[in-house]
Amino acid sequence: MAAGDPILVTGAAGFIGSHLAYRLLQLGRPVLGVDNLNSYYDPALKHARLARCTPHANFQFEQLDLADRARTAELFAAHKFAAVAHLAAQPGVRHSLMDPHAYADANIIGFLNVLEGCRHQRCGHLVYASSSSVYGANKAPFGTTQNVDHPLNLYGATKKANELMAHAYAHLFGLPTTGLRFFTVYGPWGRPDMAVWLFTEAILQDKPVRLFNKGNLRRDFTYIDDVTEAVVRLIDRPPAPDPGWSASNPNPATSFAPWRVYNIGNREPVEVNELVRLLERATGRLAKREPLPAQPGDMLETYADLADLETAIGFRPATPLAQGVHRFVAWYRGYVADRGALR
């Protein structure tokens, strides 16, 4: 891949996208970031994330809704990308119950427009965000060789659709694609709709921590720096067709086409109640717990099998949850204090 060509990072104002863009810039890679800066959560946080990247001469940003077919085509026509890291999406399991059309627009139409752009530009590698939600009703631990045909929510179904769409383009047009099934990513600059942020905010404001299924959910919490490290290692390694792939015994993780999926997780599922205890330790405050019933669409456990990722790129997560939680709480206190109201 040409060293001078930028890497396109979609969702560059988002949690994972902003961290990836920042890390690539630190490595001397030019980055073109795009984001629609929507109001799913406070756009001020998105602008603050972008502000970390804008001092770099190698960073460009364009505000763009990837569901806009014409403007997305113009973006790809105007640039030659070394690779594309497609991290833009409408996130959130519970929100998909309230606004399903937002998921069709962002996660299906937007992804199709990116695939078309990569196809016509002859992109060397499309890396895109999938999700642990594709495993749905499967039994943990989740390995990429499992079939993923029973999603429990629309968000997970759109991510499975992304993997299928990517495979079609890999087969038809030889577009190398790698899907990344992220497992509960957390850390500084994280999302306000996710548990680590919500629980921290509640504890510091002396408000109840809402624990669905009474906190008896297990999640494979994965620290953002570990996620970014895995993506950086993969981005310059486009997949090749698997010569051992068999139509009579198909491997769901590989293909006769240049297509691959990987889990990006921590390999250590932790009960949500334990997360609360770690946050109490990090904040120095006791939580007020509010036990609630399980929510529709929630998975009881996520647990990543990383064997194939370790074989491919030697990846092992390096951040224990207690350490990552302390880092998040320290960042959160500073971020809120900078805005004049430590909560």
Side-chain angles (χ1 to χ4, degrees):
M1 297 178 183
D5 292 334
I7 294 173
L8 174 63
V9 177
T10 73
F15 176 30
I16 301 175
S18 64
H19 274 274
L20 178 62
Y22 186 77
R23 175 68 185 283
L24 289 169
L25 292 166
Q26 288 182 312
L27 294 172
R29 305 293 295 270
V31 173
L32 174 59
V34 302
D35 200 290
N36 66 2
L37 298 173
N38 69 20
S39 58
Y40 171 66
Y41 55 81
D42 188 359
L45 175 60
K46 301 178 182 185
H47 286 286
R49 291 172 181 147
L50 284 175
R52 297 203 308 151
C53 296
T54 48
H56 291 265
N58 284 336
F59 183 70
Q60 303 175 66
F61 176 75
E62 295 186 25
Q63 186 171 347
L64 171 64
D65 186 343
L66 294 168
D68 186 326
R69 178 178 172 184
R71 286 200 59 208
T72 303
E74 290 171 1
L75 172 78
F76 279 91
H79 300 277
K80 175 65 177 175
F81 298 119
V84 174
H86 177 57
L87 302 175
Q90 175 58 56
V93 169
R94 296 181 185 120
H95 186 67
S96 68
L97 299 174
M98 298 178 286
D99 188 8
H101 292 94
Y103 292 77
D105 293 340
N107 299 3
I108 303 298
I109 301 301
F111 188 62
L112 176 60
N113 291 339
V114 169
L115 285 169
E116 277 290 283
C118 290
R119 166 197 173 187
H120 291 293
Q121 193 205 61
R122 299 186 181 278
C123 175
H125 191 193
L126 168 62
V127 177
Y128 62 94
S130 184
S131 170
S132 60
S133 293
V134 301
Y135 288 105
N138 288 16
K139 183 177 180 180
F142 300 141
T144 54
T145 56
Q146 294 180 14
N147 286 312
V148 286
D149 293 331
H150 300 90
L152 297 179
N153 52 70
L154 181 63
Y155 171 71
T158 64
K159 290 302 184 177
K160 167 66 183 289
N162 287 172
E163 295 179 0
L164 297 175
M165 294 161 72
H167 187 273
Y169 272 68
H171 164 58
L172 292 169
F173 309 113
L175 172 64
T177 67
T178 300
L180 308 177
R181 295 173 176 172
F182 295 127
F183 282 69
T184 316
V185 185
Y186 76 100
W189 301 102
R191 280 184 15 220
D193 63 325
M194 295 191 71
V196 174
W197 181 302
L198 289 169
F199 293 177
T200 300
E201 183 174 65
I203 292 170
L204 292 177
Q205 291 183 359
D206 199 29
K207 293 181 178 179
V209 174
R210 304 175 76 223
L211 296 170
F212 296 111
N213 202 43
K214 300 179 181 179
N216 298 316
L217 301 171
R218 288 166 58 83
R219 291 290 178 264
D220 201 355
F221 295 100
T222 311
Y223 191 66
I224 183 61
D225 289 354
D226 293 330
V227 169
T228 305
E229 176 63 25
V231 179
V232 166
R233 292 190 195 186
L234 284 167
I235 205 164
D236 289 332
R237 300 190 184 194
D242 178 2
W245 193 87
S246 168
S248 59
N249 186 26
N251 180 355
T254 69
S255 175
F256 58 88
W259 177 93
R260 197 75 166 82
V261 292
Y262 292 104
N263 288 335
I264 311 290
N266 195 45
R267 297 190 301 193
E268 293 185 5
V270 172
E271 192 173 86
V272 170
N273 284 313
E274 174 62 17
L275 171 65
V276 176
R277 285 189 283 271
L278 292 173
L279 286 167
E280 288 177 323
R281 191 181 309 162
T283 60
R285 300 190 186 187
L286 292 177
K288 294 180 177 178
R289 291 167 170 79
E290 181 182 357
L292 294 169
Q295 294 293 288
D298 275 356
M299 299 167 67
L300 293 178
E301 180 179 30
T302 64
Y303 179 179
D305 180 337
L306 302 181
D308 53 354
L309 188 66
E310 185 170 351
T311 298
I313 58 172
F315 172 80
R316 293 183 179 182
T319 311
L321 181 59
Q323 183 181 101
V325 162
H326 273 274
R327 291 177 184 172
F328 173 80
V329 170
W331 168 84
Y332 177 86
R333 282 180 151 145
Y335 176 77
V336 174
D338 285 346
R339 277 141 188 82
L342 181 59
R343 294 176 283 181

